[in-house]
Amino acid sequence: MKFRNLTLLALIFFTLQSCVDNEAYFGSGGGVDNPEIYTRLADIIKHENVPTDTIAFNPLEDSNISGTFGVEINIPANSCILGSNELPDELFVVLREYPTLSKMALSNVQTESNQEMLVTGGNFWWKIIDADGRDWDIVQPSQITATQPVVLDMGEYADQAAYFTGDIISGGSQQVINWTQVRNNESGMGPNNVFEYNGLQLRWANVDALYQYPGERTQFSAVLNPNDDIQPNQEMLLLIVEDFPSVINIYTKQGDSFVTHNNAIPVGLSGTLVAIALDNNDELLIGSTDITVAGDDEFSVDVAPGSMSQLTSLINQITN
């Protein structure tokens, strides 16, 4: 990820189409010409913010499923089951892929494992359904294999990449993903930065390595400014790490501040905080600031009315 400074990022953000200057926002009213209105933040920052592939296959035969961004899942014949139901000659794989940090950030897909930071190579979600929309299971997950191209630069961690599964947990008013390494599993990085899954389970799959903290750990807090017009429980703060590929959802609140977990952040870490919220008029608010963590820091992120296209452009600028 390229080096960025606060001045450059601010210039990029405030020159995006339809953005407003600080005076317009912090005065009475302010906002974009056509503000985007939403009922809940969860309606716009959601897992479905990537293409969803629905791919038909014959479960009575060996099948190879290919996704939009290169994930391939191999399903041997007669691998699917739903109680005592007879196996039909057509089922469907529903597949969503998150190969880049921008797709993860815009979809609320984060990279933490039990409050430990992960170096990620990308992830995906999949399930098997029938024509009636019923979920089918796998008879023996150990027989399911898959490959996933890794486009993120994991650096020295590529050799340590392992298979992690994800579980949705409650993070304050949000739902976040906690990743757990699959133990006693032979998955690993293959040739040409293609990760090879062996024993693929349904739902979430991630190429990850636990970040090895080189020195002192700390925590920090951040507040969205101004916060008196933000709806309660309709705000989120992401940390997009610059030093290695990772996206962290800082969901713990103490008063008006977002607070990271104790001893969860390495001193010296650089990244960008991205704030997303709804105001009391259901209008989208966005903002960002670059940070370098020196210790028990207190940061603030200015937010202003914006659009989803502006938010997408902002995150793309940060992650590219």
Side-chain angles (χ1 to χ4, degrees), residues 25 36-42 44-45 173-174 223-238 253 258 274-288 301-308 311 314:
Y25 176 70
E36 294 191 0
I37 305 300
Y38 299 95
T39 303
R40 301 183 310 150
L41 197 59
I44 56 174
I45 307 298
S173 61
Q174 304 175 34
V223 64
L224 308 193
N225 183 41
N227 56 42
D228 55 353
D229 195 38
I230 295 176
Q231 287 190 47
N233 301 323
Q234 296 300 320
E235 55 185 338
M236 66 185 301
L237 184 67
L238 300 176
K253 291 290 296 292
F258 289 88
V274 177
I276 312 166
L278 298 180
D279 67 14
N280 289 320
N281 295 317
D282 295 327
E283 186 174 349
L284 179 64
L285 304 174
I286 58 178
S288 69
V301 185
D302 293 340
V303 293
S307 66
M308 274 304 296
L311 176 61
L314 174 63

Side-chain angles (χ1 to χ4, degrees), residues 1-47:
M1 196 181 301
K2 296 183 291 185
F3 176 81
R4 306 174 304 277
N5 58 48
L6 180 58
T7 302
L8 176 59
L9 187 59
L11 179 61
I12 292 169
F13 176 68
F14 287 106
T15 53
L16 291 171
Q17 183 180 5
S18 298
C19 251
V20 298
D21 58 30
N22 286 339
E23 182 178 355
Y25 176 70
F26 292 112
S28 60
V32 294
D33 292 337
N34 296 295
E36 294 191 0
I37 305 300
Y38 299 95
T39 303
R40 301 183 310 150
L41 197 59
D43 293 332
I44 56 174
I45 307 298
K46 56 186 179 180
H47 301 153

Side-chain angles (χ1 to χ4, degrees), residues 99 120-122 148-154 158 161 189 192-195 207:
T120 187
Q148 177 182 349
V150 175
V151 299
L152 292 169
D153 183 6
M154 297 183 70
M189 193 70 75
N192 302 315
N193 288 327
V194 175
F195 190 82
V207 180

Side-chain angles (χ1 to χ4, degrees), residues 15-288:
T15 53
L16 291 171
Q17 183 180 5
S18 298
C19 251
V20 298
D21 58 30
N22 286 339
E23 182 178 355
Y25 176 70
F26 292 112
S28 60
V32 294
D33 292 337
N34 296 295
E36 294 191 0
I37 305 300
Y38 299 95
T39 303
R40 301 183 310 150
L41 197 59
D43 293 332
I44 56 174
I45 307 298
K46 56 186 179 180
H47 301 153
E48 294 82 2
N49 282 351
V50 294
T52 299
D53 295 321
T54 302
I55 305 161
F57 72 100
N58 185 345
L60 301 173
E61 302 175 352
D62 293 346
S63 300
N64 178 269
I65 307 299
S66 297
T68 298
F69 298 106
V71 167
E72 293 191 2
I73 302 173
N74 302 301
I75 306 174
N78 303 306
S79 294
C80 303
I81 189 171
L82 177 61
S84 60
N85 288 272
E86 182 179 350
L87 191 62
D89 61 6
E90 184 177 66
L91 290 174
F92 303 87
V93 165
V94 181
L95 174 63
R96 293 196 289 268
E97 300 165 83
Y98 309 87
T100 64
L101 291 183
S102 59
K103 286 181 169 54
M104 295 179 206
L106 289 165
S107 305
N108 198 23
V109 177
Q110 320 81 29
T111 51
E112 280 187 288
S113 177
N114 298 317
Q115 303 182 7
E116 296 286 319
M117 303 179 75
L118 294 172
V119 181
T120 187
N123 41 71
F124 65 92
W125 175 93
W126 73 297
K127 68 176 181 177
I128 297 173
I129 63 173
D130 59 23
D132 296 322
R134 297 179 298 178
D135 290 345
W136 284 64
D137 292 322
I138 299 295
V139 177
Q140 291 183 299
S142 61
Q143 297 181 352
I144 309 299
T145 62
T147 56
Q148 177 182 349
V150 175
V151 299
L152 292 169
D153 183 6
M154 297 183 70
E156 63 185 279
Y157 287 89
D159 292 338
Q160 305 172 36
Y163 170 25
F164 283 68
T165 59
D167 295 302
I168 303 295
I169 63 174
S170 176
S173 61
Q174 304 175 34
Q175 286 190 329
V176 298
I177 302 175
N178 182 65
W179 299 97
T180 304
Q181 185 173 348
V182 179
R183 301 296 180 182
N184 303 317
N185 185 274
E186 296 181 356
S187 301
M189 193 70 75
N192 302 315
N193 288 327
V194 175
F195 190 82
E196 299 174 352
Y197 292 92
N198 289 285
L200 180 68
Q201 302 175 27
L202 289 167
R203 302 302 190 271
W204 291 100
N206 200 350
V207 180
D208 279 321
L210 280 170
Y211 177 67
Q212 304 298 315
Y213 292 81
E216 185 181 356
R217 302 189 190 194
T218 187
Q219 69 176 137
F220 68 81
S221 61
V223 64
L224 308 193
N225 183 41
N227 56 42
D228 55 353
D229 195 38
I230 295 176
Q231 287 190 47
N233 301 323
Q234 296 300 320
E235 55 185 338
M236 66 185 301
L237 184 67
L238 300 176
L239 170 61
I240 300 176
V241 178
E242 180 178 353
D243 303 328
F244 51 88
S246 195
V247 176
I248 307 301
N249 185 327
I250 306 172
Y251 54 82
T252 301
K253 291 290 296 292
Q254 292 182 2
D256 291 331
S257 296
F258 289 88
V259 182
T260 63
H261 303 302
N262 288 327
N263 298 316
I265 305 295
V267 173
L269 182 80
S270 295
T272 302
L273 294 174
V274 177
I276 312 166
L278 298 180
D279 67 14
N280 289 320
N281 295 317
D282 295 327
E283 186 174 349
L284 179 64
L285 304 174
I286 58 178
S288 69

